[in-house]
Amino acid sequence: MSVAPFHLAIPVTSLQDSEAFYGELLGCSKGRNSPQWIDWNFFGHQLVTHLVAEMPSLPQHNLVDNHAVPVPHFGVVLEWQDWLVLSEKLQSALVEFVIKPHKRFKGQVGEQATMFFLDPCGNALEFKAFQDIEQLFAS
């Protein structure tokens, strides 16, 4: 399966906070930018943070495996070891998790490690990993 990078543009109320969060904390490299937006290399994908005066409404939640998952959210599927490293980094940085790092669907099809947290402007992110990547689209 060939994977094409996605492009996602999200609202933020502070480009400086975006630089600290996406650049410094998550380690994304900064690309083209202006006083109104910044392009990021988000784990091989193009994420653009666009400056807005105020954030749109807060996310809603759906129940998934007994956790209130914020909707909308975005993120990436990492290699298992990379997920563990990022999880430890975020915990060491005292990031407040919406859903703490844990295994979801234990012993079931689609078992995965997952964690949810917000960027400084309230955009919800999910990072997940599968020990068996073939489970990504399993039903």
Side-chain angles (χ1 to χ4, degrees), residues 8-97:
L8 177 65
I10 61 170
V12 298
T13 56
S14 169
L15 291 177
Q16 293 79 15
D17 287 349
S18 293
E19 289 183 279
F21 183 82
Y22 292 98
E24 295 169 26
L25 180 63
L26 294 183
C28 300
S29 59
K30 188 174 172 180
R32 293 178 302 275
N33 61 85
S34 82
Q36 297 297 312
W37 52 268
I38 301 173
D39 280 349
W40 298 101
N41 179 346
F42 186 74
F43 302 86
H45 304 279
Q46 185 187 41
L47 175 68
V48 185
T49 50
H50 282 274
L51 187 61
V52 296
E54 63 182 56
M55 291 298 290
S57 63
L58 295 175
Q60 302 296 308
H61 294 86
N62 278 339
L63 196 61
V64 178
D65 199 34
N66 295 315
H67 290 277
V69 170
V71 178
H73 66 266
F74 71 97
V76 294
V77 178
L78 299 174
E79 295 290 331
W80 192 264
Q81 190 59 39
D82 294 337
W83 185 91
L84 291 172
V85 169
L86 181 60
S87 171
E88 288 297 321
K89 179 180 183 180
L90 296 174
Q91 291 176 74
S92 295
L94 303 178
V95 166
E96 185 176 331
F97 290 94

Side-chain angles (χ1 to χ4, degrees), residues 130-138:
F130 294 81
Q131 287 186 325
D132 176 6
I133 194 61
E134 295 299 318
Q135 293 289 300
L136 179 62
F137 296 111

Side-chain angles (χ1 to χ4, degrees), residues 90-134:
L90 296 174
Q91 291 176 74
S92 295
L94 303 178
V95 166
E96 185 176 331
F97 290 94
V98 174
I99 299 175
K100 292 180 181 180
H102 73 286
K103 275 191 180 179
R104 178 164 61 190
F105 308 129
K106 287 183 184 179
Q108 301 176 44
V109 171
E111 180 176 283
Q112 60 196 258
T114 186
M115 60 182 151
F116 287 81
F117 51 95
L118 305 178
D119 77 2
C121 296
N123 293 297
L125 290 88
E126 176 186 18
F127 284 79
K128 62 172 70 177
F130 294 81
Q131 287 186 325
D132 176 6
I133 194 61
E134 295 299 318

